[in-house]
Amino acid sequence: MLHIQWFPGHMTKALRMMEDSVKSVDCIIYVLDARAIESCMNPKFDNIIKNKPVLYIINKQDLVEKQDLQSWQKYFIANNMDFVIADSVSGKQKDLIINKLKELNKKIIEKYANKGAIKSVRAMVVGVPNTGKSTLINSLCKQKRAITGNRPGVTRGKQWVSLAEGVDLLDTPGTLAPAYDDQERAKNLAFIGSIKDDVVALDDLTIEMINFFRNYNPRLFCERYKLEALSDDNIEVLGQIAKNRGFLLNKNNYDYDRVYRAVIDDFRKQKFGKIMLDFPKDK
Ligand SMILES: Nc1nc2c(ncn2[C@@H]2O[C@H](COP(=O)(O)OP(=O)(O)OP(=O)(O)O)[C@@H](O)[C@H]2O)c(=O)[nH]1
Ligand SMILES: [Mg+2]
């Protein structure tokens, strides 16, 4: 069983900073990873964002199948949630996102315009770690202004970035919930690299991945590691992978650490294909 909890001091600080900064912004950009949309919803944000218009960015769309996103599109529409499906590395959705932001803040922009003033839209960008907040900001300003990286906890302080289109964006550090009663969510966040690997037991995480594939599609897993069938015995599966890959400490012992790393990296590098972990519960 996995027991994941990761809430370091910088996240407490970041949430406080967000509570403070939200007073001076017009709207929120809430960045979600398309592979685990539900798990990326952080209840800790609810209170912070409750009085502001929210634009959800379903990011990393390139990592899931288009048809899997359909149920989420329906869900967001049914719940009156504004959203854009995006892949921030490409930055193709720049105009769409800026237009949506202006649409969302139409009233206040018009109010200023009536007085002969130009209002720039101020948006705070929030999300759990590693969803692509800083990458999104860079794609919108077409410059590498915010630091990015494929691990959680890259952004530490707050950073304002101004776009020529009259939009100011506040980058914030990724933050998680202080505790996860629902370890299913925590597990999904660990799968997509939103929780630091140092705080997750890699052997447990790998076993959770094997269990996941046993349900999802055992054939995919077997093909990747050239297994005849997926045994019910997880330790046996780990041994078979080590044997087939030649991960040996010495003649008589498998190098299990290399097995863990291989399975987790393969998942994160889409070596099993495009996998969506969360689907909407209430439709
Ligand atoms: N495939 C794909 N990768 C993306 C996309 N957007 C961001 N990434 C990658 O996701 C990783 C995390 O991106 P960041 O922008 O640093 O994420 P962040 O949300 O700012 O992370 P923290 O600051 O740690 O909270 C990087 O390796 C990005 O290249 C996307 O749309 N598709
Ligand atoms: Mg960042």
Side-chain angles (χ1 to χ4, degrees):
M1 249 315 267
L2 270 177
H3 260 286
I4 301 173
Q5 196 180 329
W6 185 44
F7 197 67
H10 81 261
M11 289 194 194
T12 315
K13 257 205 233 153
L15 283 169
R16 265 194 220 125
M17 177 275 279
M18 288 157 72
E19 277 165 17
D20 216 40
S21 301
V22 76
K23 296 171 195 151
S24 63
V25 303
D26 305 301
C27 63
I28 305 293
I29 297 178
Y30 199 144
V31 184
L32 305 159
D33 186 316
R35 293 170 294 174
I37 291 174
E38 170 78 27
S39 303
C40 286
M41 299 272 188
N42 182 353
K44 267 280 167 191
F45 295 151
D46 294 353
N47 216 23
I48 298 175
I49 68 174
K50 69 179 176 207
N51 295 319
K52 303 282 172 183
V54 179
L55 177 62
Y56 292 90
I57 304 289
I58 302 176
N59 197 33
K60 307 200 184 186
Q61 69 154 331
D62 53 306
L63 303 186
V64 296
E65 298 290 354
K66 252 202 179 89
Q67 70 263 24
D68 285 342
L69 273 174
Q70 281 172 3
S71 54
W72 279 112
Q73 278 171 289
K74 279 190 200 139
Y75 175 92
F76 277 77
I77 292 167
N79 287 285
N80 280 321
M81 295 155 87
D82 288 283
F83 68 100
V84 173
I85 295 174
D87 43 291
S88 291
V89 174
S90 84
K92 279 185 210 146
Q93 298 78 20
K94 175 179 168 149
D95 293 344
L96 186 60
I97 292 170
I98 289 175
N99 289 341
K100 279 257 183 195
L101 278 176
K102 294 204 167 166
E103 180 65 33
L104 218 56
N105 293 282
K106 208 168 147 189
K107 274 197 189 135
I108 190 160
I109 293 172
E110 277 171 3
K111 203 171 115 190
Y112 275 71
N114 289 339
K115 290 183 202 158
I118 295 171
K119 163 79 183 143
S120 59
V121 172
R122 288 160 70 87
M124 180 163 83
V125 183
V126 308
V128 297
N130 206 37
T131 51
K133 298 174 290 300
S134 302
T135 306
L136 171 75
I137 292 172
N138 289 340
S139 79
L140 293 176
C141 73
K142 299 228 184 270
Q143 284 177 43
K144 198 166 166 20
R145 293 283 302 279
I147 305 168
T148 62
N150 196 5
R151 54 186 193 284
V154 174
T155 303
R156 282 303 166 98
K158 63 173 181 179
Q159 184 184 1
W160 280 101
V161 172
S162 296
L163 311 186
E165 292 83 357
V167 174
D168 295 335
L169 301 169
L170 177 62
D171 195 7
T172 67
T175 40
L176 295 160
Y180 281 90
D181 300 333
D182 179 358
Q183 284 288 307
E184 190 66 22
R185 277 185 176 216
K187 187 182 77 185
N188 289 341
L189 290 171
F191 278 15
I192 64 168
S194 196
I195 293 173
K196 223 186 174 118
D197 282 339
D198 305 0
V199 299
V200 185
L202 294 187
D203 50 350
D204 290 342
L205 189 62
T206 306
I207 286 182
E208 288 295 343
M209 281 194 179
I210 299 171
N211 291 337
F212 167 79
F213 278 104
R214 194 172 283 113
N215 264 321
Y216 178 81
N217 187 340
R219 190 182 46 81
L220 264 183
F221 194 85
C222 291
E223 275 172 8
R224 177 84 195 148
Y225 302 112
K226 305 203 162 39
L227 312 177
E228 269 172 37
L230 192 55
S231 159
D232 287 335
D233 179 347
N234 286 325
I235 307 302
E236 194 182 312
V237 176
L238 294 174
Q240 288 167 340
I241 297 173
K243 193 170 151 221
N244 291 356
R245 285 285 166 102
F247 294 161
L248 303 172
L249 284 174
N250 51 48
K251 231 168 76 188
N252 302 315
N253 288 297
Y254 295 136
D255 187 349
Y256 287 106
D257 287 338
R258 281 185 72 190
V259 177
Y260 308 148
R261 225 19 309 154
V263 175
I264 293 166
D265 287 350
D266 281 352
F267 184 89
R268 296 199 185 138
K269 288 181 180 153
Q270 282 67 55
K271 292 285 160 53
F272 302 106
K274 298 180 175 189
I275 295 174
M276 186 178 274
L277 298 166
D278 282 339
F279 287 86
K281 288 198 177 76
D282 47 316
K283 267 179 249 167

